[in-house]
Amino acid sequence: MDWWRKIYVALKNADVRQIVYVPDAGHAELIDACIEDNDIISIPLTTEEEGVAVLAGAWLGGQRGALLMQSSGVGNCINMFGLMQTCRFPLAAFVTMRGQWQEFNPWQMPMGQGTELALSAMNVNVETADNPKDIFEKSAAVLHSAFVANQMTALLLHQRLMPKKTFGN
Amino acid sequence: MNLSSRARTYDLRRREVAKRISEVGGKKLLVVTGLGSTNWDFTAAGDRDLIFPMWGAMGGAVSVGLGLALAQPKNRVLVATGDGEMLMGLGSLATVAVQAPSNLTIIVFDNERYGETGMQLSATADEADIAAIATGCGIKSAVNINNDKELKKSLPKLFKIPGPSLWVIKVRAESLDFVLPPKDGAFLKDRFRRALLGDVGIL
């Protein structure tokens, strides 16, 4: 099974009903699978911080949701993570990494290298997966941490998992 | 009249408008209020468990309302916020238009000021028109309400027209006393969930 499908199965097992995302090449297949799923509302965002707030609203209304984004989006979320912490809203985020491994674009480096520190600074628990064999188990653990233990948790998906990206050079 | 004094002459008063909206909405209406003066306005109109006042997270009120409206399609959701808070989250209007929840109503109290920080002018004191921005994002029912005559005519329809709708209500620029809701975020979340979902909401 492709690694992204393991995340999808974990989301389904956890009864996740809202997926908020900024389109990302690493998450493209997972996003497509969610869009095709009639039991999941798929919500494209203009910026990732909107997604954090949407998940707070979903939880107020009794639904579970998850945030799919690239590492650059983590920086956009910083202040909105404060909403989740102050109100003890659950947060489950799946972050595809850039600026980490075989990266061709220097503009991706700063936020990629700061992603884990930024999450930790806002008290978001961080798990990392770089082996497809671990992804189902780690995804399930992140979702459990969020919805059963009311924590904020992110799974960082190592850039090794993605095809090497270029702009043709 | 210059731009900085224009809003001082508007005839609609925000506390009074919040009270009228609360009366029309009723006790079952799910409400999210944005940082900061709209929190005090709707608390003055009557704090209750199904109001979630946001003491921070500027720019996030509409997004919280969107997630709530999608999770609760059978209940009407009101987001009430101010022009400054809305300007920080303009992209969320595009996000709302894509989802188009018919149960979501957005009210922007536009005093053309940042009230909590000393009444500095916002972009709506100049050329920015939030209703026009919402229209441009694809929100079909987006209008400006400029005075009491327009409000009287429209108010009975506020929660009857299919959402998503956004009304910018031009309100007088005035500094008012604080009327504060509870401040603890976890308490506010839990009281809302218990009122909406029952005891299972806080398990």
Side-chain angles (χ1 to χ4, degrees), chain B:
Chain B
M1 188 185 311
N2 67 30
L3 294 170
S4 64
S5 59
R6 182 176 66 189
R8 296 189 193 284
T9 67
Y10 293 160
D11 68 346
L12 288 168
R13 314 285 295 270
R14 56 189 309 144
R15 289 279 158 86
E16 177 64 22
V17 176
K19 192 160 172 266
R20 287 160 70 184
I21 289 171
S22 296
E23 283 165 8
V24 173
K27 299 283 185 205
K28 288 184 177 171
L29 182 67
L30 310 182
V31 181
V32 176
T33 54
L35 181 77
S37 299
T38 46
N39 285 337
W40 328 142
D41 298 332
F42 279 80
T43 303
D47 182 45
R48 57 192 175 84
D49 291 353
L50 290 173
I51 299 178
F52 184 71
M54 294 174 66
W55 285 73
M58 188 165 173
V62 164
S63 293
V64 171
L66 174 61
L68 175 59
L70 293 173
Q72 287 287 321
K74 291 181 179 163
N75 287 311
R76 184 63 80 145
V77 174
L78 170 69
V79 174
T81 191
D83 48 297
E85 204 277 343
M86 188 70 256
L87 286 167
M88 196 175 277
L90 288 176
S92 61
L93 296 175
T95 302
V96 162
V98 171
Q99 299 300 319
S102 61
N103 59 331
L104 179 62
T105 302
I106 302 165
I107 290 287
V108 180
F109 282 179
D110 186 1
N111 66 353
E112 306 172 2
R113 300 285 190 289
Y114 292 91
E116 298 311 306
T117 53
M119 301 294 271
Q120 298 90 344
L121 297 182
S122 80
T124 62
D126 207 290
E127 296 294 329
D129 178 340
I130 291 171
I133 292 165
T135 300
C137 286
I139 292 177
K140 300 284 187 293
S141 175
V143 294
N144 278 296
I145 306 279
N146 296 295
N147 51 52
D148 190 48
K149 189 179 167 196
E150 292 176 13
L151 184 65
K152 268 202 186 92
K153 188 175 158 207
S154 304
L155 193 55
K157 296 182 287 189
L158 179 60
F159 299 111
K160 290 182 180 154
I161 51 176
S165 59
L166 181 145
W167 290 8
V168 176
I169 302 181
K170 289 284 187 178
V171 295
R172 182 177 301 183
E174 55 183 343
S175 295
L176 300 166
D177 291 340
F178 291 108
V179 183
L180 304 179
K183 183 159 47 178
D184 183 74
F187 170 76
L188 291 165
K189 173 204 66 180
D190 285 346
R191 76 171 190 173
F192 191 103
R193 277 178 55 97
R194 182 157 65 182
L196 180 62
L197 307 168
D199 285 343
V200 69
I202 55 167
L203 275 179

Side-chain angles (χ1 to χ4, degrees), chain A residues 18 41-47 49-51 53-63 79-80 83 86-90 150, chain B residues 32 52 54 57-60 63-64 66-68 70-72 89 91-92 94-95 98-99 185-186 188-189 192-193 196-197:
Chain A
Q18 294 192 27
I41 304 171
S42 298
I43 305 167
L45 311 161
T46 70
T47 174
E49 66 184 294
E50 284 172 13
V54 169
L55 296 183
W59 185 255
L60 280 180
Q63 276 190 347
N79 187 50
M80 213 56 83
L83 165 69
T86 300
C87 301
R88 292 202 292 275
F89 281 112
N150 280 359
Chain B
V32 176
F52 184 71
M54 294 174 66
M58 188 165 173
S63 293
V64 171
L66 174 61
L68 175 59
L70 293 173
Q72 287 287 321
S92 61
T95 302
V98 171
Q99 299 300 319
L188 291 165
K189 173 204 66 180
F192 191 103
R193 277 178 55 97
L196 180 62
L197 307 168

Side-chain angles (χ1 to χ4, degrees), chain A residues 65-140:
Chain A
L67 170 60
L68 310 182
M69 63 178 161
Q70 190 182 94
S71 48
S72 52
V74 169
N76 293 347
C77 295
I78 296 283
N79 187 50
M80 213 56 83
F81 287 148
L83 165 69
M84 310 310 260
Q85 184 178 340
T86 300
C87 301
R88 292 202 292 275
F89 281 112
L91 175 73
F94 295 83
V95 182
T96 48
M97 292 304 297
R98 295 290 304 272
Q100 185 184 46
W101 182 268
Q102 301 276 36
E103 176 63 61
F104 82 103
N105 184 349
W107 294 55
Q108 288 286 351
M109 292 295 184
M111 194 62 234
Q113 290 167 3
T115 294
E116 189 164 351
L117 280 170
L119 289 165
S120 299
M122 294 309 291
N123 287 326
V124 179
N125 302 303
V126 177
E127 286 283 343
T128 298
D130 62 1
N131 186 334
K133 285 184 178 146
D134 297 334
I135 288 188
F136 178 75
E137 202 174 23
K138 289 194 173 184
S139 298

